Amino acid sequence: MSADFEARVLEVLQRHPEAVFEALQSQLRRLEEKKKQAREGALSELQRNPAAAIGSSPTLGQGKVQLIEFSDFQCPYCAGASGTLQAFLAKNSSKLSLTYKFYPLERIHPEALPSARAAWAAQQQGKFWEFHDALFGAQERLGEPLYLEIARNQGLDLKRFNSDRQGPASLEAINRDRELADRLGLEGTPFFVVKGEAFSGAVDEAFLQKLVEGR
């Protein structure tokens, strides 16, 4: 880019700042509209064919109300939500189904991805929910020693556990969940999808009771 061209661009910007602002606003509106369309499309697909979106993700309960949770094992809010959900499901597993989706927030939680990969590896040996509970129960200790400790305590084949969590399949599974969450316009964790709607933040027993009762 020549100095003369740069000077002309600067002159235009100085003389017509309102035009630049309007162009930026227009671009932001287009981006927001694209996000909205992607979100609505993803929600519509989930309503039409929830089984396809759930795929092989771990699920608890056999209820008709399907709650999909996007979570991060290092997120304290996710730990709180997990306790509420588990307590509710213990009494209402015939009314509610909970599906776990991985959404590790790597930028702020250094152990989010390693813990997700470890939980996925435990799932391959039928121990996802046990591993899930152990991770949230010892959230302040997340790290390699804890993952191996939990794997041993649960009687996992350690050679297979290490191979699975370190292999490409664990990342592929997690990235599929992240792609869906991005299309849904995830806004922090925990993030939930139920009955064609998406929301983030805490859940309580009263809210869950309304879901299963259809209110």
Side-chain angles (χ1 to χ4, degrees):
M1 186 181 294
S2 69
D4 182 57
F5 180 77
E6 287 182 356
R8 290 184 180 184
V9 170
L10 286 172
E11 182 181 355
V12 171
L13 291 175
Q14 290 168 351
R15 288 186 177 183
H16 305 285
E18 71 288 347
V20 177
F21 179 76
E22 186 176 333
L24 288 172
Q25 288 290 93
S26 178
Q27 179 67 11
L28 286 172
R29 285 194 294 270
R30 285 195 293 270
L31 288 173
E32 286 302 313
E33 184 59 30
K34 284 185 68 175
K35 287 181 182 179
K36 181 182 177 183
Q37 290 174 356
R39 181 188 182 105
E40 290 175 351
L43 286 171
S44 178
E45 286 177 24
L46 276 172
Q47 279 190 291
R48 287 197 309 268
N49 191 3
I54 292 167
S56 59
S57 294
T59 299
L60 272 182
Q62 301 84 40
K64 291 182 179 180
V65 177
Q66 179 67 58
L67 181 65
I68 299 175
E69 175 192 19
F70 292 84
S71 181
D72 171 344
F73 286 112
Q74 203 170 1
C75 167
Y77 303 106
C78 293
S82 172
T84 301
L85 288 165
Q86 297 276 28
F88 186 82
L89 274 165
K91 298 178 288 184
N92 297 275
S93 62
S94 63
K95 300 177 182 178
L96 182 71
S97 295
L98 171 67
T99 295
Y100 186 96
K101 293 285 188 180
F102 299 102
Y103 199 86
L105 300 169
E106 296 176 76
R107 287 178 294 178
I108 57 175
H109 296 149
E111 287 299 323
L113 182 59
S115 58
R117 297 181 78 176
W120 184 87
Q123 181 189 354
Q124 308 317 298
Q125 297 187 49
K127 293 285 187 176
F128 172 81
W129 292 105
E130 294 88 344
F131 209 95
H132 164 283
D133 294 349
L135 287 174
F136 277 131
Q139 196 176 55
E140 72 285 351
R141 293 176 54 214
L142 290 181
E144 186 67 12
L146 179 65
Y147 309 146
L148 292 174
E149 176 187 315
I150 296 172
R152 291 192 189 97
N153 289 344
Q154 293 178 357
L156 300 183
D157 179 329
L158 288 182
K159 184 176 181 180
R160 181 183 174 190
F161 172 73
N162 287 326
S163 175
D164 283 342
R165 69 188 172 118
Q166 293 163 6
S170 64
L171 278 179
E172 290 168 4
I174 292 166
N175 285 335
R176 282 194 297 271
D177 288 352
R178 288 199 279 204
E179 287 168 7
L180 176 58
D182 290 341
R183 289 177 59 208
L184 288 165
L186 185 146
E187 300 170 353
T189 55
F191 183 83
F192 301 94
V193 179
V194 63
K195 295 183 177 180
E197 296 184 9
F199 63 94
S200 59
V203 293
D204 58 25
E205 187 168 345
F207 172 80
L208 295 170
Q209 194 65 46
K210 287 180 180 179
L211 282 183
V212 299
E213 291 175 358
R215 292 189 279 128

